[in-house]
């Protein structure tokens, strides 16, 4: 099959390399296609623009993996709502009807659950504009796919970490980390496992569900993660305090539905993932 990755940044490139290794033709759309590895056929594209390149007629899967230019409502709307709409319009323009379209969304659509467990059956209650806009983009995809021979899939990822994504490590090293006084659950997924999930969901023969939650096996209390990192770095545990506002809310996300598709996790918890990063393993794609 031919796979189009619309928004071929770090995550999209990793997924693209995995598709290519499996023998698929991969086309990557991004503003700077010269940065893409040779295994991906790059094309210059600004997804916030309606003027997108022609799609290969044989496109059977589309991955929409977009990053906003800044953490503002306008930037999120331009990236996710306009970006998804422009990709769908390009499919209509070229008469291409892929078997499956996967939109990389976020667990931000669920907001704060007070530490409770959530899964794909939980009603989204976004606490900010990011979650609301992502839900709007998800709805655009489902509305477009309705009545077509296309499955629309939203993969709601937790916090992505991996090579070059070292925010918590940097906070611990700099002494800026604070363990929240009240327990706060966090959910994350290593970039490589997120890429593996994308490939699996686009390639599997069985019908896909409209929504999957993409997180590792173990929702982790933030204090436990920070203490673990301090121990791995040979540092004292960070102090306790009010801490910053919760990123992603306080919830425990289940990955049971995703695991049921056969996705194999290399980094089932933050421990394996952060040890890999601290060991210098892996490369962040430009």
């Amino acid at each position: 099959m031919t796979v189009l990755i619309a928004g071929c940044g770090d995550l999209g490139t990793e997924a693209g390399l995995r598709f290519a290794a499996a023998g698929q033709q991969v086309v990557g759309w991004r503003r700077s296609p010269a940065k893409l590895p040779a295994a991906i056929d790059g094309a210059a594209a600004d997804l916030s623009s309606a003027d997108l390149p022609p799609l290969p007629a044989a496109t059977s899967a589309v991955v929409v993996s977009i990053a906003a230019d800044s953490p503002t409502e306008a930037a999120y709307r331009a990236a996710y709502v306009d970006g998804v709409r422009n990709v769908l319009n390009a499919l209509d323009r070229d008469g291409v009807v892929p078997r499956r379209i996967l939109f990389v969304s976020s667990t931000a659509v669920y907001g704060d659950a007070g530490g409770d467990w959530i899964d794909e059956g939980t009603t989204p209650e976004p606490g900010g504009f990011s979650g609301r806009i992502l839900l709007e983009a998800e709805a655009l995809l489902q509305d477009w796919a309705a009545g077509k021979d296309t499955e629309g899939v939203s993969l709601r990822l937790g916090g992505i970490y991996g090579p070059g994504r070292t925010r918590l490590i940097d906070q611990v090293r700099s002494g800026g980390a604070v363990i929240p006084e009240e327990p706060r659950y966090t959910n994350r997924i290593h970039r490589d496992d997120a890429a593996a999930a994308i490939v699996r969901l686009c390639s599997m023969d069985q019908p896909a569900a409209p929504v999957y939650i993409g997180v590792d096996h173990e929702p982790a209390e933030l204090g436990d993660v920070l203490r673990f990192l301090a121990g791995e770095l040979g540092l004292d545990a960070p102090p306790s305090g009010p801490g910053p506002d919760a990123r992603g809310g306080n919830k425990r996300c289940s990955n049971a539905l995703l695991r049921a598709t056969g996705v194999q996790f290399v980094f089932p918890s933050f421990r394996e993932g952060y040890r890999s990063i601290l060991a210098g393993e892996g490369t962040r794609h430009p």
Side-chain angles (χ1 to χ4, degrees):
M1 65 181 179
T2 297
V3 180
L4 169 66
I5 300 181
C8 205
D10 179 42
L11 176 58
T13 298
E14 181 64 28
L17 289 172
R18 291 165 182 253
F19 280 119
Q24 314 302 337
Q25 179 187 2
V26 183
V27 176
W29 283 359
R30 62 179 289 170
R31 292 171 182 166
S32 49
K35 295 180 179 179
L36 291 173
I40 299 175
D41 297 327
D46 179 352
L47 298 182
S48 65
S49 166
D51 184 19
L52 293 176
L55 287 96
T59 300
S60 57
V62 176
V63 177
V64 184
S65 180
I66 308 172
D69 289 335
S70 64
T72 65
E73 185 166 355
Y76 266 66
R77 182 163 296 280
Y80 297 106
V81 176
D82 295 347
V84 168
R85 181 184 291 115
N86 289 334
V87 171
L88 297 176
N89 287 342
L91 289 164
D92 287 337
R93 177 198 67 198
D94 296 344
V96 176
V97 182
R99 176 171 172 260
R100 198 166 286 156
I101 302 176
L102 184 145
F103 171 58
V104 177
S105 186
S106 167
T107 56
V109 301
Y110 295 108
D112 191 320
D116 288 343
W117 281 96
I118 65 165
D119 60 20
E120 290 81 359
T122 303
T123 301
E125 295 183 5
F129 68 81
S130 62
R132 291 195 301 271
I133 289 172
L134 287 163
L135 274 180
E136 188 175 341
E138 290 184 13
L140 276 176
L141 173 56
Q142 293 301 328
D143 290 346
W144 184 90
K148 294 185 174 69
D149 292 328
T150 299
E151 292 180 336
V153 179
S154 294
L155 176 59
R156 295 170 175 168
L157 295 178
I160 304 173
Y161 73 113
R165 299 174 185 255
T166 57
R167 180 182 58 87
L168 285 185
I169 294 172
D170 296 340
Q171 287 181 0
V172 173
R173 275 189 171 134
S174 69
V178 176
I179 295 175
E181 293 172 337
E182 297 294 327
R184 181 191 306 165
Y185 284 99
T186 59
N187 303 267
R188 56 185 50 77
I189 186 167
H190 192 283
R191 181 208 61 188
D192 292 1
D193 288 332
I198 289 171
V199 173
R200 178 61 182 163
L201 293 178
C202 287
S203 306
M204 64 186 185
D205 292 331
Q206 67 263 39
V211 172
Y212 293 89
I213 291 176
V215 295
D216 66 20
H217 301 358
E218 185 180 337
E221 202 276 308
L222 180 57
D224 291 340
V225 179
L226 294 175
R227 281 185 285 265
F228 169 81
L229 289 174
E232 292 293 304
L233 293 167
L235 301 172
D236 292 335
S240 298
D245 292 337
R247 291 169 58 97
N250 179 20
K251 53 184 174 279
R252 287 179 281 179
C253 300
S254 168
N255 69 359
L257 186 62
L258 180 62
R259 291 174 70 182
T261 67
V263 174
Q264 299 294 316
F265 280 71
V266 175
F267 306 102
S269 80
F270 67 90
R271 298 174 192 86
E272 296 87 357
Y274 278 120
R275 282 181 178 137
S276 175
I277 296 170
L278 291 171
E281 298 172 352
T283 301
R284 182 162 186 173
H285 305 295

